């Protein structure tokens, strides 16, 4: 009986294997990620580190007859050396080697074997193929789809035997839309107006209003500042102050006026090379001057100048192509088809700036710079200049002095500019500044389409190449980043990496459809965001089921609405907004809100002349500006934002991590910004929330969450309020201490113990899971 059971088990295993082997295996989806992760480091594009002269990233070489046989024998896994080696019992013979940090799983071995059995078909990397518009999928539940996006999502759900979730409630939807499009919570007035609007285009009207608000540009700029590594200091050891906020304001205005993305790219990469460039177009080029600059004595000037050029290469390739080209700085790329020579050809585009590696000034902007008056300053200059024409004698002299003094207040901006005589570019051995090799000319990697015909071989030609219809990455990458903004994850999860090490798209046809729609539709960012927001997919409820959590824990199939924690800036701006403290002035120099006492002292190390001294807190409305305007010191970024995963901005960042730590709760409970916001929200509840405890609690709850509390939630709030009121009545000094945190003055007409108790309730609401997630 035991023998028969074993025989039956063996037959079942064979049947299982044969069924699995018949499943179609895709090289791009299934095999390339395995080979890239486990094999390409020794058997990939870099010939200098290639072992056994075996290359597995090119089919012709992988299937070539060798003395030891064929590494890959298409259709014959049993005779393929690759299969023998990855399954070998001897650890000294098995591949990858025993001392290699990455090993193959049984499932990965099975996939490789099945792929070879099916003919070992190679494919060009999907991200290097120019996207073509796919046909819209045919779905059975046509009534659910609101636009083309839904057809792609629904077809995959139906193939998986899943159904989409019901629509989110209107309160939840407007809160989601408001955060995703403006970075701020909705006002109660906008919530009430949406709830009362029973027209068929009610959602569309909300979306259009949010996209038209100035808050939209501020929100969009925040993530772009991460990508462009924007900061208010120069970085490195001394980390001296710079003034490039005019570029930041250009970004905000570019998003608000919906500058087409191809122009957005062109002006930032090469605005100075356009015919008769405007001030704005020159300002835009600050994108590639945002890198760190050193003022340390004793450095080798050329070494650091080349570091700045390399930083531009890495940032440009990451932001617009989601490729990490820096791997090819010292050798041929180990994973992607970019040689070291091609790296330095790309490098040559950015090697023409007349700059030095050493910034000798202790504060200010390293050259090249331009005067960058604000529109208001330009108006004042025009007014003073006009007045000069009607004056003479002493009055004229006085007015000229006034004009000269005013012009001294005009900020400068760091810009790109090519020097008159072209600088030669050389390959650098191992990337070392003092080991030049062969001379190279500006060019793009051969794996991509060539530069457009007639395009100049400078940054303007590079921008034209990036925004050409043939370029396979630019539209895809931006579409994916906007999807990431709206869903908390990209269609390609590795937002920063579309290369061989990156993830396979969850919906590749949808990604291509959106990319073509974006490029052929005028590179219109607002239009694309509206398409996403108007989809039934986006408007689903985020509530999940046990089955969905089991089948799709990361929600890659999008069978439910998106849910994720608010960003650092959103959390702070939400507290300011719901309390009424938020000051909505657009643009201007960076501000210094509340920060921990003694900030910067540890990194100054006595060198105040270099660092600009300790942190000097701002005053008045500077304390309540949106977080996009917060002063950013690279060596010590704002701690409350940094704890919620805002980056240091020393390097380009296009995808923030999301962590959960106890320190985050301490910030939300104790940081002066959040405590003061809770107290001001409490004041509003006492003044505007009605005369009863129930109505006041509901008012505060609704301002934060956009919905009315359930009976049980209201009961908890009132119970805690009564406990806190009794506590503060017994300790009035503690009540006074709590309500005087922050620079704004509490209303003396409100009883201190009551206000302190309501402040505790407001803080409690601001710390709800529903408040810190969207």
């Amino acid at each position: 009986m035991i023998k028969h059971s074993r025989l039956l088990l063996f037959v079942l295993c064979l049947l299982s294997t044969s069924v699995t082997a018949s499943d179609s295996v895709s090289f791009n989806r299934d095999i390339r990620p395995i080979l890239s992760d486990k094999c390409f480091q020794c058997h990939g594009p870099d010939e200098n580190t290639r072992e056994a002269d075996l290359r597995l990233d090119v089919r012709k070489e992988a299937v070539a007859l060798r003395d030891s046989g064929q590494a890959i024998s298409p259709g014959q896994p049993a005779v393929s050396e690759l299969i023998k080696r990855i399954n070998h019992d001897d650890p000294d013979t098995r591949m990858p080697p025993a001392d290699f940090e990455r090993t193959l799983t049984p499932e990965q071995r099975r996939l490789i074997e099945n792929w070879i059995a099916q003919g070992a078909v190679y494919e060009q990397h999907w991200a290097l193929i120019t996207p073509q518009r796919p046909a819209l999928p045919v779905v059975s539940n046509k009534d659910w789809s609101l636009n083309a996006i839904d057809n792609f999502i629904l077809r995959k759900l139906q193939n998986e035997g899943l159904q989409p979730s019901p629509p989110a409630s209107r309160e939840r939807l407007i809160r989601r839309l408001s955060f995703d499009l403006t970075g701020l919570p909705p006002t109660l007035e906008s919530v009430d107006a949406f709830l009362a609007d029973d027209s068929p285009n009610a959602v569309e009207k909300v979306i259009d209003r949010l996209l038209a608000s100035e808050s939209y540009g501020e929100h969009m700029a925040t993530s772009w500042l991460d990508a462009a590594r924007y900061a208010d200091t120069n970085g490195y050891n001394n980390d001296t102050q710079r003034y490039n906020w005019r570029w930041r304001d250009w970004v905000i205005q570019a998003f608000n006026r919906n500058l087409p993305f191809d122009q957005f790219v062109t002006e930032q990469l090469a605005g100075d090379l356009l015919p008769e460039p405007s001030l704005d177009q020159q300002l835009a080029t600050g994108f590639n001057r945002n890198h760190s600059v050193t003022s340390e004595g004793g450095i080798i000037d050329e070494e650091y100048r080349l570091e700045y050029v390399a930083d531009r290469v890495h940032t440009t390739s990451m932001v617009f192509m989601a490729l990490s080209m820096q791997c090819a700085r010292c050798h041929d790329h180990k994973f992607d088809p970019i040689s070291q020579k091609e790296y330095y050809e790309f490098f040559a585009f950015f090697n023409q700036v007349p700059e030095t590696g050493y910034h000798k000034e202790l504060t200010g902007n390293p050259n090249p710079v331009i005067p960058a008056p604000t529109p208001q300053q330009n108006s004042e200059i025009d007014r003073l200049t006009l007045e000069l024409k009607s004056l003479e004698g002493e009055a004229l002299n006085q007015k000229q002095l006034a004009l000269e003094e005013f012009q001294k207040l005009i900020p400068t901006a760091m810009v790109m500019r090519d020097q008159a005589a072209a600088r030669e570019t050389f390959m650098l051995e191992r990337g070392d500044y003092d080991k030049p090799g062969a001379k190279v000319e500006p060019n793009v990697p051969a794996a991509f389409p060539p530069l457009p015909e007639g395009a100049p071989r400078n940054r303007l030609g590079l921008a034209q190449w990036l925004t050409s219809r043939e370029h396979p990455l630019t539209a895809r990458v931006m579409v994916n980043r906007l999807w990431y903004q709206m869903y908390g994850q990209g269609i390609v999860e590795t937002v920063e990496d579309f290369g061989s090490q990156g993830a396979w798209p969850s919906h590749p046809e949808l990604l291509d459809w959106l990319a073509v729609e974006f490029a052929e539709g005028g590179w219109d960012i607002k239009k694309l965001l509206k398409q996403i927001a108007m989809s039934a997919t986006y408007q689903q409820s985020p509530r999940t089921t046990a089955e969905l959590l089991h089948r799709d824990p990361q929600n890659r199939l999008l069978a439910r609405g998106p849910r994720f924690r608010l960003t650092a800036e959103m959390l702070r701006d939400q507290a300011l907004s719901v309390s009424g403290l938020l000051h909505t002035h657009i643009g201007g120099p960076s501000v210094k809100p509340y920060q921990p006492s003694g900030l910067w002292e540890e990194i100054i190390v006595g060198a105040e002349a270099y660092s600009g001294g300790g942190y000097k807190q701002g005053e008045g409305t500077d304390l309540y500006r949106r977080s996009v305007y917060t002063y950013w010191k690279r060596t010590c970024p704002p701690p409350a934002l940094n704890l919620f995963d805002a980056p240091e901005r020393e390097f380009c960042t296009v995808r923030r991590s999301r962590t959960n730590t106890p320190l985050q709760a301490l910030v939300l409970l104790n940081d002066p910004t959040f405590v003061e916001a809770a107290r001001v929200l409490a004041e509003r509840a006492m003044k505007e929330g009605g005369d009863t405890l129930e109505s006041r609690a509901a008012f505060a709850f609704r301002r934060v969450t956009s919905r009315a509390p359930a009976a049980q939630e209201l009961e908890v709030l009132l119970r805690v309020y009564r406990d806190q009121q009794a506590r503060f009545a017994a300790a009035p000094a503690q009540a006074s201490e709590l309500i005087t945190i922050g620079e704004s003055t509490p209303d003396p007409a409100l009883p201190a113990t009551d206000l302190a108790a309501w402040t505790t309730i407001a803080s409690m609401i601001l710390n709800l899971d529903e408040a810190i997630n969207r």
Side-chain angles (χ1 to χ4, degrees):
M1 182 65 182
I2 293 176
K3 288 182 179 180
H4 286 303
S5 298
R6 287 177 177 171
L7 179 59
L8 178 60
L9 181 61
F10 177 69
V11 171
L12 288 173
C13 287
L14 284 177
L15 289 172
S16 174
T17 302
S18 64
V19 171
T20 307
S22 68
D23 295 341
S24 177
V25 181
S26 162
F27 179 77
N28 266 335
R29 183 191 64 213
D30 304 315
I31 303 302
R32 185 191 296 277
I34 300 173
L35 297 181
S36 178
D37 194 42
K38 318 292 186 182
C39 309
F40 283 1
Q41 187 162 331
C42 299
H43 303 292
D46 186 2
E47 63 179 343
N48 294 318
T49 58
R50 199 173 297 143
E51 298 287 344
D53 196 30
L54 173 61
R55 185 170 184 178
L56 294 176
D57 63 313
V58 177
R59 188 180 196 272
K60 181 180 178 181
E61 302 209 20
V63 303
L65 288 171
R66 301 154 56 87
D67 292 342
S68 58
Q70 272 181 297
I72 294 176
S73 180
Q76 303 181 81
V79 301
S80 298
E81 280 297 314
L82 176 63
I83 298 302
K84 294 177 183 177
R85 296 295 293 274
I86 65 175
N87 290 323
H88 209 285
D89 292 333
D90 184 355
D92 294 331
T93 304
R94 187 168 58 241
M95 288 290 159
D99 59 353
F100 192 64
E101 59 187 21
R102 301 183 182 96
T103 59
L104 288 166
T105 66
E107 172 65 13
Q108 289 170 333
R109 292 192 186 95
R110 183 189 66 80
L111 276 171
I112 294 172
E113 189 167 348
N114 290 347
W115 169 65
I116 294 175
Q118 293 172 20
V121 177
Y122 276 69
E123 299 167 310
Q124 184 183 6
H125 186 18
W126 67 267
L128 299 180
I129 303 171
T130 299
Q132 303 298 322
R133 188 191 297 271
L136 285 184
V138 176
V139 293
S140 57
N141 185 9
K142 295 179 181 180
D143 292 339
W144 181 76
S145 295
L146 296 178
N147 62 25
I149 291 172
D150 299 324
N151 284 43
F152 290 98
I153 300 300
L154 186 57
R155 180 180 64 177
K156 190 155 189 173
L157 290 178
Q158 290 176 342
N159 289 344
E160 296 287 335
L162 297 173
Q163 292 295 322
S165 296
S169 67
R170 280 205 162 190
E171 294 93 339
R172 192 182 295 279
L173 180 58
I174 191 172
R175 177 175 165 81
R176 179 186 301 171
L177 286 166
S178 188
F179 273 117
D180 286 350
L181 298 179
T182 70
L184 294 172
T187 63
L188 283 186
E189 294 75 17
S190 64
V191 173
D192 289 338
F194 183 45
L195 295 178
D197 188 350
D198 57 2
S199 64
N201 63 336
V203 174
E204 185 176 13
K205 286 190 284 187
V206 169
I207 293 170
D208 288 342
R209 175 179 57 79
L210 293 171
L211 290 173
S213 73
E214 289 191 315
S215 298
Y216 162 81
E218 293 175 311
H219 174 55
M220 297 295 293
T222 300
S223 59
W224 199 256
L225 300 189
D226 286 355
R229 70 274 193 242
Y230 171 84
D232 295 293
T233 60
N234 285 313
Y236 289 106
N237 184 56
N238 294 333
D239 203 16
T240 54
Q241 188 169 2
R242 66 166 50 160
Y243 307 93
N244 213 32
W245 55 268
R246 287 289 282 120
W247 174 81
R248 179 206 62 206
D249 288 359
W250 177 88
V251 174
I252 294 171
Q253 294 304 327
F255 278 117
N256 273 337
R257 69 179 193 267
N258 202 26
L259 185 69
F261 187 68
D262 58 341
Q263 290 180 243
F264 188 70
V265 172
T266 299
E267 292 186 13
Q268 289 185 89
L269 289 182
D272 59 307
L273 298 176
L274 293 169
E276 298 182 5
S278 66
L279 173 61
D280 273 357
Q281 288 170 334
Q282 294 178 72
L283 279 176
T285 66
F287 171 84
N288 259 325
R289 294 298 310 287
N290 279 318
H291 54 79
S292 297
V293 174
T294 186
S295 59
E296 298 174 46
I299 64 132
I300 299 171
D301 191 84
E302 180 66 0
E303 178 181 13
Y304 279 83
R305 187 192 71 79
L306 291 171
E307 285 298 319
Y308 309 156
V309 179
D311 185 281
R312 292 172 194 136
V313 172
H314 307 160
T315 300
T316 300
S317 62
M318 177 75 73
V319 171
F320 301 113
M321 298 193 292
L323 287 181
S324 178
M325 287 184 70
Q326 67 192 77
C327 299
R329 184 179 180 183
C330 302
H331 48 72
D332 291 349
H333 205 295
K334 293 188 180 299
F335 308 107
D336 296 320
I338 302 171
S339 69
Q340 188 183 19
K341 179 176 183 288
E342 289 172 328
Y343 173 89
Y344 283 100
E345 289 173 337
F346 201 86
F347 186 98
F349 286 113
F350 302 99
N351 195 28
Q352 306 303 321
V353 184
E355 63 184 335
T356 60
Y358 172 59
H359 177 45
K360 64 181 179 180
E361 301 297 331
L362 299 184
T363 60
N365 295 336
N367 285 318
V369 299
I370 60 170
T374 66
Q376 295 82 3
Q377 289 173 328
N378 268 331
S379 297
E380 181 65 11
I381 291 171
D382 290 343
R383 186 187 68 80
L384 291 171
T385 303
L386 185 63
E387 289 182 8
L388 285 174
K389 295 179 180 179
S390 61
L391 299 174
E392 57 184 28
E394 184 59 27
L396 176 61
N397 293 335
Q398 291 296 324
K399 189 61 68 175
Q400 284 176 329
L401 287 174
L403 178 59
E404 290 170 6
E405 288 301 312
F406 182 80
Q407 287 174 328
K408 292 178 182 178
L409 301 175
I410 293 173
T412 63
M414 302 161 63
V415 295
M416 292 288 282
R417 182 179 298 149
D418 285 357
Q419 58 188 34
R423 180 186 282 123
E424 293 183 328
T425 300
F426 301 89
M427 292 179 61
L428 300 178
E429 183 181 338
R430 301 298 302 170
D432 291 339
Y433 76 96
D434 57 350
K435 295 179 181 178
K439 181 181 174 182
V440 297
E441 299 295 332
N443 207 350
V444 297
F448 292 89
L451 286 166
E453 186 176 350
R457 289 189 176 270
N458 57 19
R459 287 179 283 110
L460 183 57
L462 181 67
Q464 292 170 0
W465 173 73
L466 281 168
T467 56
S468 68
R469 177 64 184 88
E470 291 72 32
H471 200 287
L473 285 174
T474 310
R476 275 191 181 120
V477 167
M478 188 56 182
V479 161
N480 192 61
R481 194 170 297 144
L482 294 173
W483 191 273
Y484 165 72
Q485 172 182 317
M486 301 291 277
Y487 285 95
Q489 57 184 339
I491 296 174
V492 179
E493 185 178 8
T494 50
V495 177
E496 72 287 356
D497 189 359
F498 274 43
S500 294
Q501 292 288 91
W504 174 256
S506 61
H507 299 78
E509 290 185 334
L510 172 59
L511 180 64
D512 281 5
W513 189 92
L514 288 171
V516 174
E517 181 80 0
F518 183 48
E520 294 185 352
W523 300 87
D524 190 327
I525 294 174
K526 287 188 178 183
K527 178 183 176 183
L528 178 60
L529 288 172
K530 182 175 178 178
Q531 279 180 302
I532 295 173
M534 288 290 290
S535 69
T537 304
Y538 176 84
Q539 295 179 27
Q540 292 177 102
S541 167
R543 294 189 180 277
T544 190
T545 64
E547 180 189 11
L548 276 180
L549 279 178
H550 174 71
R551 295 277 304 277
D552 187 19
Q554 302 301 318
N555 197 25
R556 298 295 292 155
L557 298 173
L558 298 173
R560 57 187 185 273
R563 180 189 185 277
F564 50 91
R565 197 195 65 209
L566 298 177
T567 65
E569 290 85 354
M570 288 181 190
L571 286 167
R572 179 177 175 274
D573 295 350
Q574 171 182 240
L576 295 175
S577 179
V578 299
S579 66
L581 281 169
L582 184 67
H583 184 69
T584 57
H585 173 71
I586 301 289
S590 297
V591 297
K592 297 179 179 177
Y594 304 118
Q595 302 290 9
S597 176
L599 190 70
W600 299 359
E601 288 183 3
E602 289 299 318
I603 61 172
I604 290 172
V605 198
E608 290 196 7
Y610 288 93
S611 66
Y615 186 84
K616 296 175 184 176
Q617 180 179 299
E619 300 176 346
T621 58
D622 282 3
L623 300 173
Y624 312 114
R625 298 286 303 282
R626 285 198 70 170
S627 301
V628 69
Y629 302 113
T630 296
Y631 189 95
W632 214 275
K633 189 174 181 69
R634 294 183 202 267
T635 53
C636 188
L641 300 181
N642 197 227
L643 277 171
F644 282 98
D645 307 310
E648 285 79 5
R649 294 202 182 142
E650 292 187 291
F651 306 102
C652 165
T653 303
V654 295
R655 179 171 63 146
R656 294 186 183 185
S657 59
R658 289 196 189 98
T659 62
N660 290 291
T661 75
L663 291 176
Q664 293 168 346
L666 292 175
V667 167
L668 294 175
L669 288 167
N670 300 302
D671 183 278
T673 294
F674 291 94
V675 176
E676 183 179 21
R679 189 257 300 162
V680 178
L681 176 58
E683 289 184 1
R684 297 194 67 173
M686 295 175 73
K687 294 177 181 179
E688 303 172 35
D691 297 329
T692 67
L693 297 181
E694 290 82 0
S695 64
R696 291 177 176 181
F699 175 89
F701 187 92
R702 192 161 179 253
R703 280 197 69 85
V704 176
T705 66
S706 303
R707 68 171 178 88
Q712 187 177 9
E713 292 168 328
L714 192 59
E715 180 184 340
V716 171
L717 291 173
L718 295 181
R719 184 171 69 246
V720 174
Y721 169 78
R722 293 186 180 99
D723 290 345
Q724 293 299 308
Q725 209 277 343
R727 170 198 162 201
F728 286 120
Q734 291 182 12
S736 178
E737 182 181 5
L738 176 63
I739 65 175
T740 53
I741 291 175
E743 295 298 314
S744 63
T745 304
D747 188 342
L750 299 174
T753 53
D754 291 353
L755 180 55
W758 280 116
T759 298
T760 304
I761 296 303
S763 176
M764 178 179 171
I765 295 170
L766 285 169
N767 278 270
L768 292 174
D769 177 84
E770 190 172 348
I772 64 178
N773 289 283
R774 87 105 194 87

